[in-house]
Amino acid sequence: AMATVDPGSTLDISHLQHYLVMPDLAAFANSGFPFSRYADLAQTTLVLPGNRDEQDSRMLLNLLAMLGSRTGYPAYRVHLSEAADAAAHAGDDLIVLGRAGTQPLLSRWSTDLPANTDPAGLRDRVKRWLIIHVPGPLLHLRRPDLQSTAEAVFDAHQYDVMLQGFRSPIDHRRSVVAIQYDGLRSATAFYESMHRRDELAHFQGSVATVQGDRVRSYAGLQSYTVGHLSWMTR
C-alpha cells in the first residue's frame, strides 16, 4: 500500500511558545536569529562604520549573503544606519559592523560587551570574583562546555573576525551582534566560516573568534531571555 500527504494540508504552529536563553551565537550562525524572525530583515538595523572602505563593503555584502542564505529571501527591508543615528532604531535588533577606530559603538558600549579587553581592569576582576563565588541559580545559564570570557583577554587585532552577542543597551527587549574585523582576509574568513559545516558548529555562546579556518567560542556571564513561556511550562 502507498500513502501520500494531501497537498492541501496545513500545519498550524502559530501557538507554539518561543523562548531562548541569549546570547546564542549558534542561533545567529545557523539560522540568522534573531534577525531572521522576519525573512526580509524587517526590524533589523545594520549599524555601519564611519569612513567606510572596500573592506567594510565586502563585509556588509557577505553578511547580507549569509543572512539571505539562512532565510531564503532578500533582505530588502533591512535598515542601514551609523552610530550617531543608532538610537533612532532602538526598537530594532542591531548588527554593529566595524573596527575599533571606525565604529564608535564598540567603545561607547564597551561595558556591555561580553569580551574583556583590559586584563588589569576592575571589570575583569569583578567577573573573575563572580565566576568563583556566585553559584546556585546562575549556573543553569552558564555554559560549562565553553571557556568563560572572564578567563580570557581579547585583542580584536589578533583575529580575522570577532563576534559578540549581547542585550541591546538602548532597548533591553532587543539584541545586538557586534562583528569586529581587522585584516585583508576578514570578509573572506567570515563568509567561509559561515558556510563550512565543520566550522559552523563551533559558533556558540556570547563571543566567537575566527582566525583562518579556526573558530573558538566563549560563554559570557550575562544572560537574558527572548520570547515567552507560560507559567506551567516554566
Side-chain angles (χ1 to χ4, degrees):
M2 297 181 63
T4 60
V5 177
D6 185 343
S9 300
T10 60
L11 179 64
D12 183 3
I13 60 172
S14 60
H15 298 292
L16 288 179
Q17 298 181 66
H18 302 274
Y19 180 83
L20 188 65
V21 176
M22 298 281 280
D24 188 352
L25 290 178
F28 171 73
N30 285 275
S31 67
F33 185 85
F35 314 102
S36 56
R37 285 187 291 196
Y38 294 88
D40 56 10
L41 294 199
Q43 300 189 15
T44 291
T45 292
L46 299 182
V47 185
L48 305 176
N51 301 319
R52 290 184 290 278
D53 57 19
E54 181 182 349
Q55 184 181 10
D56 297 315
S57 299
R58 291 180 62 199
M59 181 61 74
L60 170 62
L61 293 174
N62 281 350
L63 170 65
L64 291 175
M66 169 261 180
L67 291 171
S69 72
R70 302 315 192 251
T71 63
Y73 205 73
Y76 71 91
R77 294 185 65 189
V78 66
H79 300 113
L80 301 181
S81 176
E82 292 190 0
D85 301 319
H89 300 277
D92 287 354
D93 295 302
L94 307 177
I95 302 177
V96 177
L97 292 175
R99 289 160 277 185
T102 63
Q103 180 49 264
L105 292 185
L106 294 174
S107 56
R108 188 183 308 171
W109 291 349
S110 60
T111 56
D112 297 286
L113 297 174
N116 174 47
T117 58
D118 183 6
L122 175 63
R123 181 184 176 207
D124 179 61
R125 295 198 297 271
V126 170
K127 277 188 173 182
R128 289 180 184 275
W129 187 92
L130 287 172
I131 257 190
I132 295 171
H133 295 94
V134 182
L138 294 182
L139 289 178
H140 76 284
L141 296 178
R142 297 182 184 172
R143 291 287 304 271
D145 56 318
L146 297 179
Q147 183 179 354
S148 168
T149 54
E151 300 171 320
V153 178
F154 299 87
D155 180 357
H157 297 292
Q158 295 181 354
Y159 317 112
D160 291 322
V161 186
M162 183 166 72
L163 291 82
Q164 302 184 66
F166 55 101
R167 175 183 277 176
S168 173
I170 52 180
D171 187 336
H172 284 183
R173 298 168 299 177
R174 293 295 186 172
S175 301
V176 180
V177 171
I179 304 177
Q180 192 171 351
Y181 46 89
D182 201 6
L184 297 177
R185 280 202 74 255
S186 294
T188 301
F190 174 79
Y191 184 85
E192 291 179 347
S193 66
M194 288 290 170
H195 288 81
R196 291 177 178 168
R197 184 172 299 179
D198 54 339
E199 293 180 38
L200 196 61
H202 292 288
F203 284 95
Q204 303 283 333
S206 301
V207 178
T209 61
V210 181
Q211 181 60 41
D213 59 356
R214 184 181 186 186
V215 178
R216 294 191 63 177
S217 293
Y218 303 80
L221 287 183
Q222 297 175 332
S223 296
Y224 62 100
T225 60
V226 295
H228 173 74
L229 287 181
S230 68
W231 183 86
M232 288 295 294
T233 306
R234 282 179 179 272

